[in-house]
Amino acid sequence: MAASPYCPDCSRLIGICVLLGALWEIRAEHILYSVPEELENGSFVGNIAKDLGLEPWELAERGVRIVSRGRTQLFALNLRSGSLVTAGRIDREELCDRSPKCVVNLEILLEDNVKIFGVEVEIIDVNDNAPNFGAEQREIKVAESENPGTRFPLPEAFDPDIGINSLQGYQLSSNGHFSLDVQRGADGIKYPELVLERALDREEEAVHHLVLTAFDGGDRVHSGTARIHVTLVDTNDNAPVFTQPEYHVSVQENVPVGSRLLTVKATDTDEGANGEVTYSFRKVRDKISQLFHLNSLTGDITVLGDLDYEDSGFYDIDVEAHDGPGLRARSKVLVTILDVNDNAPEVTVTSLTSSIQETSSPGTVIALFNVHDSDSGENGLVTCSIPDNLPFTLEKTFGNYHRLLTHRTLDREEVSEYNITVTATDHGTPPLSTETHISLNVADVNDNPPAFPQASYLAYIPENNPRGASIFSVTAHDPDSNENSMVTYSLAEDKLQEAPLSSYVSINSDTGVLYALRSFDYEQVRDLQLLVTASDSGDPPLSSNVSLTIFVLDQNDNTPEILYPALPTDGSTGVELAPRSAEPGYLVTKVVAVDRDSGQNAWLSYRLLKASEPGLFAVGLHTGEVRTARALLDRDALKQSLVVAVQDHGQPPLSATVTLTVVVADSIPDVLTDLGSLKPSADPNDSGLTLYLVVAVAAVSCVFLAFIIVLLALRLRRWHMSHLLQASGSRLASVPASHFVGVDGVRAFLQTYSHEVSLTADSRGSHVIFPQPNYADTLISQESCEKSGPLLRSQDLPERKGEPNLQQFSQHQLLKRLSSLHCIFLPPLSKMR
């Protein structure tokens, strides 16, 4: 901005003021600068970076900026140089009027640590205003009869500058009748007065033209002039007189426009036109003329505009009264504006964080705001508060600045967003308040692992399932958000039956659905123990595990398996022996079966499906025992054929059948004898086989008896026991062969060794089976037949030393040899077809 035309040498003063502006001080985070008014835009004020302890380049990095409450910004930061500079024209008189000291306060905010520094810039006055009379000319009416020494008030000049730059004095143009006298009032204001030096003569000169000059005391003096016209009139003996030298009035700032404040009163003892008094403002300024009105006739002062205590709390109004001829009197009206609580507090948010991580420590700054109330006293005291149920607190910092801080650690999963209401309330009556809403989002941190609703899961899948079938679905919930809540699923590596679990089941990593990779067999795998892992996508990722047990459900896919009677490998059926003397309930045999399924699929029941003689035999429903249902009769057929069905309880039920042949006979020889009486089969081949069987059994019996006789003879001759040999030989020769295997022998055979004798007949591969002795009620093993050995050995006939004696065979030894006899003729018979 160019220097004032009244001060062409102001550059030197400006330079001095710039040097003064370099003076600074930091006290309790408070920085002081001074700068002259009327500097050009961008002029240096102070090195703010240095005073903050920063380098210039750190200003932008740390977010250093000026905060204000909305008025025009007078200063700015030069981020390159780190300096505080002017942002526009600064007019001290506009800012501070005639205040002795003009200070502009601003705040510097460091965004990174939300710290406030107060800066005071004192605006130094520059002589940029000349004294001004307001009106270029003034007319004063003077009676020609006035005596020398009479004083007449002159208009006063006004200079808005202060100090040496303000009004310093007056000068009056030279003339022969008047002189200038300057009076200083109690308020320090200089009042010029025109003094009559010698008598006037209207006829000589009716009007005197004078020039009144007012000058200030700046580096280059500025001045202002007013033309004074002194008009001589007839005699006016008395000037108006105010009833009070000063009028005091107090008025509330909310007084309505048009209200009367007070009435000034001046009296003039003259009569007629000389006693008529009118009123007017002296040194009237635009601001006063806009707020107040003076009735020139009545002296009533009324409110012309809205009063505002915050704009000005006090007004000093000069009034004057003058009569018709022009005599004047001066007085002051002092108006005090009383503050009314008509301004609600203003909240200006200076710094605001819209988002904060949930793991932020207590004491984290959320917002920095300034609270201002334009009222004064109690009306200007402000208290800030927030709701008690929020995890935040308020802290007062520099001046009227407050910080909003976290009071404790936040949890986004509890509350993800806060709408914080800051209430600023003044202490007026009634109190006024302002609410400011601050929205805060709580940013998620991956602090929650995925969670399963249950500690463990049980799943079921029927066996024989198709490959790729869906088994079960697990779902884990992560209360975090975005990537932190995206859950993926996986299975822990393990083995089952030496195969990895991943070959049995798989899991969809996105949905948690488990699929079967193979068809399960309950008889091989009954359950699978899995460990499902749910992991989120946070950084670092969090995970949790849950156990899952998959049970394979049994399906009725196995038919009952008959263990006894076992079917011969050649396709023939077993033969069971039932004595004709058997009583009802006699246990003939027992069908033993198992089912590889489980549960009710393995519950077996037995029933007689078909019998050649209905009603003769019965089968236990749950035991499989074949018993006689009644006593055997002579008319009952030798061979009874039974078909027993074994059925499980599955859905649908599966069954197996076995055919039993029961031969009704009291002894083994009877079986051999009765075999000839069996009715031939309808098949010619079956009849031929039966004939061959009878011939073979007879031949074997003869060979067996002959062999016994020869063996006994050799033994008796060797031991030289002819008398015993002859007796034993005659007994053996007279006993029929059947006696060796008679009923008593068979009973002894069965009772001693619990033999079960089975015959196979009426089949294409009919043969006779002589079971080997076995205490466990098992059938004879074919392997025993493959062992060869003599029927009698020398060791079987012990002798006493010195006394040759024939030791008879014990029944045990004899039957032992008989049980092995079948090995001689069994192979040929089994091959006869």
Side-chain angles (χ1 to χ4, degrees), residues 145-156:
S145 60
E146 289 289 348
N147 295 322
T150 304
R151 295 174 178 269
F152 304 94
L154 292 176
E156 301 167 12

PDB file of all heavy atoms in Angstrom, residues 145-156:
ATOM      1  N   SER A 145     -22.025  45.026  19.881  1.00  0.00           N
ATOM      2  CA  SER A 145     -21.824  45.686  21.169  1.00  0.00           C
ATOM      3  C   SER A 145     -21.017  44.835  22.147  1.00  0.00           C
ATOM      4  O   SER A 145     -20.896  45.182  23.318  1.00  0.00           O
ATOM      5  CB  SER A 145     -23.180  46.017  21.778  1.00  0.00           C
ATOM      6  OG  SER A 145     -23.939  44.836  21.980  1.00  0.00           O
ATOM      7  N   GLU A 146     -20.544  43.689  21.688  1.00  0.00           N
ATOM      8  CA  GLU A 146     -19.800  42.807  22.577  1.00  0.00           C
ATOM      9  C   GLU A 146     -18.521  43.502  23.040  1.00  0.00           C
ATOM     10  O   GLU A 146     -17.829  44.180  22.262  1.00  0.00           O
ATOM     11  CB  GLU A 146     -19.438  41.495  21.858  1.00  0.00           C
ATOM     12  CG  GLU A 146     -20.618  40.596  21.617  1.00  0.00           C
ATOM     13  CD  GLU A 146     -21.145  39.980  22.886  1.00  0.00           C
ATOM     14  OE1 GLU A 146     -20.496  40.054  23.948  1.00  0.00           O
ATOM     15  OE2 GLU A 146     -22.245  39.347  22.835  1.00  0.00           O
ATOM     16  N   ASN A 147     -18.228  43.306  24.265  1.00  0.00           N
ATOM     17  CA  ASN A 147     -17.039  43.917  24.831  1.00  0.00           C
ATOM     18  C   ASN A 147     -15.804  43.092  24.506  1.00  0.00           C
ATOM     19  O   ASN A 147     -15.861  41.852  24.380  1.00  0.00           O
ATOM     20  CB  ASN A 147     -17.189  44.032  26.347  1.00  0.00           C
ATOM     21  CG  ASN A 147     -18.299  44.979  26.745  1.00  0.00           C
ATOM     22  OD1 ASN A 147     -18.494  46.015  26.105  1.00  0.00           O
ATOM     23  ND2 ASN A 147     -19.027  44.626  27.801  1.00  0.00           N
ATOM     24  N   PRO A 148     -14.670  43.714  24.408  1.00  0.00           N
ATOM     25  CA  PRO A 148     -13.427  42.963  24.190  1.00  0.00           C
ATOM     26  C   PRO A 148     -13.215  41.957  25.333  1.00  0.00           C
ATOM     27  O   PRO A 148     -13.536  42.212  26.482  1.00  0.00           O
ATOM     28  CB  PRO A 148     -12.365  44.052  24.167  1.00  0.00           C
ATOM     29  CG  PRO A 148     -13.084  45.268  23.726  1.00  0.00           C
ATOM     30  CD  PRO A 148     -14.445  45.188  24.348  1.00  0.00           C
ATOM     31  N   GLY A 149     -12.693  40.818  24.977  1.00  0.00           N
ATOM     32  CA  GLY A 149     -12.495  39.724  25.941  1.00  0.00           C
ATOM     33  C   GLY A 149     -13.585  38.675  25.891  1.00  0.00           C
ATOM     34  O   GLY A 149     -13.471  37.606  26.538  1.00  0.00           O
ATOM     35  N   THR A 150     -14.615  39.007  25.162  1.00  0.00           N
ATOM     36  CA  THR A 150     -15.688  38.001  25.036  1.00  0.00           C
ATOM     37  C   THR A 150     -15.174  36.799  24.218  1.00  0.00           C
ATOM     38  O   THR A 150     -14.478  36.969  23.210  1.00  0.00           O
ATOM     39  CB  THR A 150     -16.928  38.631  24.385  1.00  0.00           C
ATOM     40  OG1 THR A 150     -17.333  39.774  25.155  1.00  0.00           O
ATOM     41  CG2 THR A 150     -18.051  37.634  24.307  1.00  0.00           C
ATOM     42  N   ARG A 151     -15.575  35.618  24.682  1.00  0.00           N
ATOM     43  CA  ARG A 151     -15.121  34.383  24.014  1.00  0.00           C
ATOM     44  C   ARG A 151     -16.284  33.734  23.257  1.00  0.00           C
ATOM     45  O   ARG A 151     -17.393  33.677  23.758  1.00  0.00           O
ATOM     46  CB  ARG A 151     -14.568  33.385  25.034  1.00  0.00           C
ATOM     47  CG  ARG A 151     -13.300  33.907  25.706  1.00  0.00           C
ATOM     48  CD  ARG A 151     -12.871  32.964  26.821  1.00  0.00           C
ATOM     49  NE  ARG A 151     -11.630  33.417  27.442  1.00  0.00           N
ATOM     50  CZ  ARG A 151     -10.400  33.048  27.043  1.00  0.00           C
ATOM     51  NH1 ARG A 151     -10.276  32.184  26.050  1.00  0.00           N
ATOM     52  NH2 ARG A 151      -9.329  33.530  27.682  1.00  0.00           N
ATOM     53  N   PHE A 152     -15.888  33.206  22.112  1.00  0.00           N
ATOM     54  CA  PHE A 152     -16.872  32.513  21.277  1.00  0.00           C
ATOM     55  C   PHE A 152     -16.311  31.129  20.924  1.00  0.00           C
ATOM     56  O   PHE A 152     -15.165  31.016  20.447  1.00  0.00           O
ATOM     57  CB  PHE A 152     -17.161  33.316  20.004  1.00  0.00           C
ATOM     58  CG  PHE A 152     -17.627  34.715  20.269  1.00  0.00           C
ATOM     59  CD1 PHE A 152     -16.722  35.795  20.290  1.00  0.00           C
ATOM     60  CD2 PHE A 152     -18.966  34.974  20.495  1.00  0.00           C
ATOM     61  CE1 PHE A 152     -17.166  37.076  20.544  1.00  0.00           C
ATOM     62  CE2 PHE A 152     -19.404  36.273  20.745  1.00  0.00           C
ATOM     63  CZ  PHE A 152     -18.506  37.317  20.780  1.00  0.00           C
ATOM     64  N   PRO A 153     -17.119  30.041  21.190  1.00  0.00           N
ATOM     65  CA  PRO A 153     -16.634  28.694  20.851  1.00  0.00           C
ATOM     66  C   PRO A 153     -16.421  28.535  19.344  1.00  0.00           C
ATOM     67  O   PRO A 153     -17.221  28.987  18.528  1.00  0.00           O
ATOM     68  CB  PRO A 153     -17.738  27.766  21.330  1.00  0.00           C
ATOM     69  CG  PRO A 153     -18.504  28.569  22.315  1.00  0.00           C
ATOM     70  CD  PRO A 153     -18.442  29.992  21.844  1.00  0.00           C
ATOM     71  N   LEU A 154     -15.337  27.848  19.004  1.00  0.00           N
ATOM     72  CA  LEU A 154     -15.028  27.536  17.610  1.00  0.00           C
ATOM     73  C   LEU A 154     -15.207  26.035  17.381  1.00  0.00           C
ATOM     74  O   LEU A 154     -15.121  25.221  18.323  1.00  0.00           O
ATOM     75  CB  LEU A 154     -13.592  27.949  17.296  1.00  0.00           C
ATOM     76  CG  LEU A 154     -13.305  29.450  17.281  1.00  0.00           C
ATOM     77  CD1 LEU A 154     -11.827  29.706  17.043  1.00  0.00           C
ATOM     78  CD2 LEU A 154     -14.140  30.144  16.228  1.00  0.00           C
ATOM     79  N   PRO A 155     -15.414  25.648  16.174  1.00  0.00           N
ATOM     80  CA  PRO A 155     -15.536  24.198  15.889  1.00  0.00           C
ATOM     81  C   PRO A 155     -14.232  23.467  16.202  1.00  0.00           C
ATOM     82  O   PRO A 155     -13.148  24.018  16.005  1.00  0.00           O
ATOM     83  CB  PRO A 155     -15.894  24.164  14.407  1.00  0.00           C
ATOM     84  CG  PRO A 155     -15.387  25.435  13.853  1.00  0.00           C
ATOM     85  CD  PRO A 155     -15.538  26.471  14.939  1.00  0.00           C
ATOM     86  N   GLU A 156     -14.371  22.235  16.666  1.00  0.00           N
ATOM     87  CA  GLU A 156     -13.201  21.418  17.013  1.00  0.00           C
ATOM     88  C   GLU A 156     -12.870  20.480  15.858  1.00  0.00           C
ATOM     89  O   GLU A 156     -13.745  19.981  15.157  1.00  0.00           O
ATOM     90  CB  GLU A 156     -13.477  20.611  18.266  1.00  0.00           C
ATOM     91  CG  GLU A 156     -13.808  21.478  19.468  1.00  0.00           C
ATOM     92  CD  GLU A 156     -14.378  20.655  20.587  1.00  0.00           C
ATOM     93  OE1 GLU A 156     -14.297  19.414  20.506  1.00  0.00           O
ATOM     94  OE2 GLU A 156     -14.938  21.225  21.540  1.00  0.00           O
TER      95      GLU A 156
END
